[in-house]
Amino acid sequence: MQHVVQNSYPPSLWYDTAGQVPVFDQLTGYDRHYDVAIVGGGYTGLSTALHLAEKGISCAVLESHGIGWGASGRNGGQVIAGLKYDPDDLIAHFGTDLGNAMIRSTGSAANTVFDLIARYHIACNAVHNGWIQAAHCEKALAKLRIKAAQWAARGTATEILDAKRIADLTGAQTYCGGWLDPRGGKIQPLMYAFGLAKAAASQGADIFVNSAVKTMLRSAGRWRLGTAQGNLIAKQVVLATNGYTDGLWPQLQETVVPAYSIQVSTEPLAPEIRKTILPDGQGLSETRRILRYSQVDAHGRLVMGTRGPAHDQATYKDAATLVKAMHELFPQIGRPRLDHVWVGRVGMTADHFPHLHQPAEGVHAALGYNGRGVAMATVMGRMLAQRVQGASALEIGFPITPLKPIALHRFSDIGVLAYGRWYGLLDRLKV
């Protein structure tokens, strides 16, 4: 087989600082047989492959572009434990047994990431020193106190932050408080994807790039997946495409809405300014509905993101509002001097839960991480590997739900725009 160099990545800070791109083959030839075929070479698919390969289960990843090309290589690099829902909400919604299992599986999600990084010596500028969620108003702070208390009751050493403490930890002067979750951290996201891919390959998984799956047919109790240059046959299939889900399985595409997130990075900050912004290395997110998130990368650049334009080709003009917010939050940087701007898709669901499905015999899917994909996609990969081996929802710690297409999905772009304007108004009114 001929090696294919992965040179189709969109411009971003993460691509420019990721170092050498690992080289994998393109799928060529016909009727290659595996136990499991995995569609998508992001965190979900790579984690699935790694956890399967560790058990000696033959598997292949089919990625349409390069490893981590989508959201896995373009996100904010924040490793966040748990879901957007509080622990007590999970029990109320799913019952005591499954709710508690979900609390354990999602609450340990960040640790799962850092454990894999340590086990496979993944070089991704990882910092495991907590995650800060900042309250933009007193009402939001009251909700954070409840969240922190519920996790503290389950053994997490959470810290409630008053206005002075959060200003000291972040360098921002606009927040009324927040909480520090010690389980979280940050990474260089594309380097983490590269590391997962190399780890999976080291355990025996086959990884194919520039190998978009065009057809998927059931025959004689197996699935045949076809690409432009070849095909393979597998007993089971995992669909792991999240915000970049297409029409390969149309009903799955209709369960998630791709929202766009834009990010910018400054040039490396002067040392005296760098030490005033997130000096202890945490990632920072807000409670706003149209939230902003920040970190400082390993080279001293301030990175900030928020909801972006509905296209993949971002310009500095698109980032004007974000740059203004950067200056308002961190006035000590003066007029920001930017060196990168980029956009990626976030997979959003109607109920704000990630979804785990089995839409047909031998087919599994996970998607919809709602902005918490670094940790949750990694954990979902482990769960998918367990599902392939026959584990139940209670055993993996997450519900398996039927596909439920979003009503009027074809008009989702309009809905995202309308909700964005409405949420922006509520944020400004602090309600």
Side-chain angles (χ1 to χ4, degrees):
M1 289 182 292
Q2 182 179 3
H3 284 299
V4 178
V5 177
Q6 299 165 267
N7 57 3
S8 62
Y9 289 85
S12 74
L13 168 66
W14 307 133
Y15 177 68
D16 285 348
T17 59
Q20 185 174 1
V21 179
V23 176
F24 295 102
D25 294 314
Q26 183 181 41
L27 178 67
T28 58
Y30 297 93
D31 293 347
R32 299 168 63 94
H33 288 259
Y34 294 90
D35 293 324
V36 185
I38 301 161
V39 182
Y43 300 149
T44 306
L46 296 171
S47 176
T48 303
L50 175 56
H51 285 95
L52 288 172
E54 286 179 333
K55 297 294 186 181
I57 298 171
S58 68
C59 60
V61 174
L62 295 167
E63 165 56 43
S64 59
H65 295 87
I67 291 303
W69 179 89
S72 295
R74 306 190 215 176
N75 65 81
Q78 301 207 20
V79 186
I80 305 171
L83 303 173
K84 293 189 175 182
Y85 290 90
D86 296 342
D88 288 357
D89 295 330
L90 298 181
I91 293 174
H93 191 83
F94 295 100
T96 300
D97 291 342
L98 184 54
N100 278 319
M102 291 176 70
I103 291 167
R104 290 190 294 271
S105 65
T106 64
S108 62
N111 285 334
T112 298
V113 170
F114 292 110
D115 288 347
L116 287 175
I117 290 170
R119 190 190 320 164
Y120 288 100
H121 307 288
I122 297 175
C124 60
N125 302 327
V127 178
H128 193 186
N129 201 27
W131 170 71
I132 297 170
Q133 190 174 22
H136 73 289
C137 65
E138 291 293 340
K139 183 177 180 181
L141 181 58
K143 292 180 179 179
L144 292 186
R145 289 193 181 101
I146 294 171
K147 181 186 295 290
Q150 290 185 19
W151 282 114
R154 292 167 172 84
T156 301
T158 60
E159 180 184 351
I160 293 293
L161 311 174
D162 61 18
K164 182 181 184 306
R165 177 68 170 146
I166 200 167
D168 290 342
L169 286 176
T170 66
Q173 306 295 322
T174 61
Y175 300 120
C176 61
W179 77 301
L180 172 62
D181 184 345
R183 299 169 296 179
K186 66 178 183 180
I187 57 169
Q188 207 279 22
L190 185 55
M191 291 174 70
Y192 176 57
F194 290 168
L196 284 179
K198 288 185 283 189
S202 75
Q203 296 300 304
D206 284 344
I207 297 176
F208 299 104
V209 299
N210 297 333
S211 301
V213 179
K214 303 295 185 181
T215 59
M216 182 173 160
L217 302 172
R218 182 79 167 169
S219 176
R222 306 264 177 132
W223 289 95
R224 180 187 296 270
L225 281 68
T227 73
Q229 301 297 325
N231 65 34
L232 59 78
I233 295 172
K235 298 175 184 176
Q236 300 192 68
V237 177
V238 169
L239 302 175
T241 47
N242 196 31
Y244 292 82
T245 299
D246 59 18
L248 182 64
W249 198 280
Q251 296 87 350
L252 182 65
Q253 182 182 28
E254 295 174 4
T255 67
V256 66
V257 172
Y260 289 79
S261 185
I262 188 170
Q263 294 177 70
V264 296
S265 64
T266 67
E267 295 179 353
L269 302 173
E272 64 272 15
I273 296 175
R274 164 68 188 93
K275 67 183 181 181
T276 71
I277 299 175
L278 296 164
D280 294 335
Q282 291 94 357
L284 169 66
S285 297
E286 298 179 330
T287 52
R288 296 174 187 271
R289 296 168 181 87
I290 307 299
L291 65 85
R292 299 165 303 196
Y293 51 92
S294 309
Q295 69 148 295
V296 177
D297 84 336
H299 307 283
R301 295 178 178 88
L302 175 59
V303 182
M304 182 178 286
T306 191
R307 184 176 61 90
H311 57 78
D312 274 330
Q313 302 298 321
T315 66
Y316 287 109
K317 184 178 179 180
D318 293 323
T321 301
L322 184 57
V323 173
K324 180 181 178 182
M326 179 182 284
H327 179 67
E328 290 173 350
L329 283 175
F330 305 106
Q332 62 268 47
I333 68 175
R335 181 179 177 83
R337 296 173 60 88
L338 306 180
D339 62 6
H340 292 84
V341 59
W342 68 99
V343 168
R345 298 183 195 175
V346 180
M348 307 294 291
T349 59
D351 59 8
H352 303 294
F353 281 106
H355 291 169
L356 186 58
H357 304 296
Q358 187 171 352
E361 184 179 356
V363 179
H364 311 269
L367 74 176
Y369 304 120
N370 298 278
R372 297 193 172 202
V374 178
M376 275 310 305
T378 303
V379 168
M380 278 291 195
R382 185 189 68 204
M383 293 176 178
L384 286 162
Q386 292 171 318
R387 284 290 295 162
V388 163
Q389 298 171 78
S392 68
L394 190 58
E395 288 171 327
I396 67 173
F398 210 84
I400 295 92
T401 55
L403 296 181
K404 186 178 180 180
I406 297 172
L408 302 176
H409 184 271
R410 70 183 67 181
F411 302 110
S412 60
D413 287 347
I414 299 173
V416 168
L417 179 62
Y419 274 111
R421 291 176 175 174
W422 173 241
Y423 287 161
L425 174 62
L426 294 179
D427 286 338
R428 290 191 294 274
L429 295 175
K430 296 186 177 182
V431 296

